[in-house]
Amino acid sequence: MKRFTGKTVLVTGSTSGIGKGIARRLASEGAQVVVNSYRDQDDIQEILEFITAQGGAATFIKADVGNVEEVRSMIDQSVSHFGSLDVLVNNAGIQIRSSFLETTEEQFDQVVGVNMKGAYFTAQAFAQYVVENKKNGVIVNNSSVHEILPFPHFDSYAMSKGGLQMMTRNLAVELAPLGIRVNNVAPGAIDTDINVALNTNDALKKNLLENISMGRMGTVDEVAAVVAFLASDEASYVTGATYLVDGGLTYHYTEQ
């Protein structure tokens, strides 16, 4: 039997990039998947068709995780469509490049509103559903190595990811007695569409790869594999943990 047979998973921000990879991976292991984005996109149908082609089931729910009312509606719609909800993957996230001296309140609120506030209240709505229905549940937060590593010109992003790491630890302690595990994945440099500019700049890419112990960027599938483990019963005694998926970037150090 596949690890997620009979389970329903909600993956926020899952129509592209890492989120899409996570949705595909969990579906391939038997999960019914709720795909989410804050907007309608051309590639929504592609991922739904991929899942159904494997004999799985999927639905798309449009919701902005930065809007608490839409978040609560998304949880309700997920349960209404599939009859239950077992796993939440808080993947939705944005970043805005801006120097500290020029960052506007609107830019700050937008990034923190999605990355931290959105993850917090999505987790809350999910946990409320789990507790009210006397179930067990799993939350996996998709953070970033920049919860640890400074990221100049992306201050609000790094701050939000640092907050997400501490949120994971706090919720893990608070929700464990209620049957809910909470863990965190922190990807490093992953080869996705968001890094197109990097991949076309040889000097930038060379500098990056020299700081990754494994000497290469990671893949979406490598992140999805760790998320799948943490979301599965194989990780039944794991909570409050952060798994770095970074090829050795975060703690890279060499003696010359």
Side-chain angles (χ1 to χ4, degrees), residues 56-106:
T59 190
F60 171 72
I61 297 177
K62 181 180 178 180
D64 177 359
V65 299
N67 184 306
V68 177
E69 289 186 9
E70 291 188 25
V71 162
R72 290 172 178 159
S73 176
M74 177 172 61
I75 298 295
D76 290 342
Q77 290 179 63
S78 299
V79 174
S80 177
H81 186 86
F82 283 120
S84 66
L85 190 57
D86 304 284
V87 178
L88 165 66
V89 180
N90 268 322
N91 171 77
I94 61 172
Q95 60 184 36
I96 298 175
R97 180 184 177 88
S98 176
S99 72
F100 171 67
L101 295 179
E102 297 176 350
T103 298
T104 66
E105 181 180 10
E106 181 182 7

Side-chain angles (χ1 to χ4, degrees), residues 189-191 195 198-199 205 208-209 212 215-219 222:
I190 307 301
D191 193 3
N195 287 316
L198 173 65
N199 282 325
K205 189 168 183 179
L208 170 64
L209 296 183
I212 300 174
R216 66 172 177 85
M217 296 177 71
T219 68
E222 287 172 319

Side-chain angles (χ1 to χ4, degrees), residues 80-202:
S80 177
H81 186 86
F82 283 120
S84 66
L85 190 57
D86 304 284
V87 178
L88 165 66
V89 180
N90 268 322
N91 171 77
I94 61 172
Q95 60 184 36
I96 298 175
R97 180 184 177 88
S98 176
S99 72
F100 171 67
L101 295 179
E102 297 176 350
T103 298
T104 66
E105 181 180 10
E106 181 182 7
Q107 290 173 324
F108 182 89
D109 288 346
Q110 187 177 356
V111 173
V112 174
V114 172
N115 297 1
M116 191 159 62
K117 174 187 171 184
Y120 182 91
F121 283 103
T122 306
Q124 183 191 67
F126 171 76
Q128 288 170 340
Y129 158 75
V130 169
V131 171
E132 288 170 4
N133 288 272
K134 297 180 173 58
K135 294 165 53 70
N136 291 326
V138 179
I139 299 171
V140 181
N141 296 318
N142 191 24
S143 183
S144 165
V145 292
H146 293 297
E147 65 184 31
I148 300 171
L149 295 176
F151 197 15
H153 305 293
F154 292 91
D155 309 305
S156 55
Y157 177 82
M159 290 167 64
S160 68
K161 294 303 184 178
L164 193 57
Q165 181 191 53
M166 185 51 72
M167 185 188 92
T168 297
R169 295 172 179 173
N170 275 287
L171 298 189
V173 173
E174 187 169 348
L175 298 179
L178 303 177
I180 302 172
R181 294 190 297 107
V182 188
N183 288 293
N184 190 38
V185 175
I190 307 301
D191 193 3
T192 65
D193 291 342
I194 200 172
N195 287 316
V196 169
L198 173 65
N199 282 325
T200 56
N201 187 315
D202 292 340

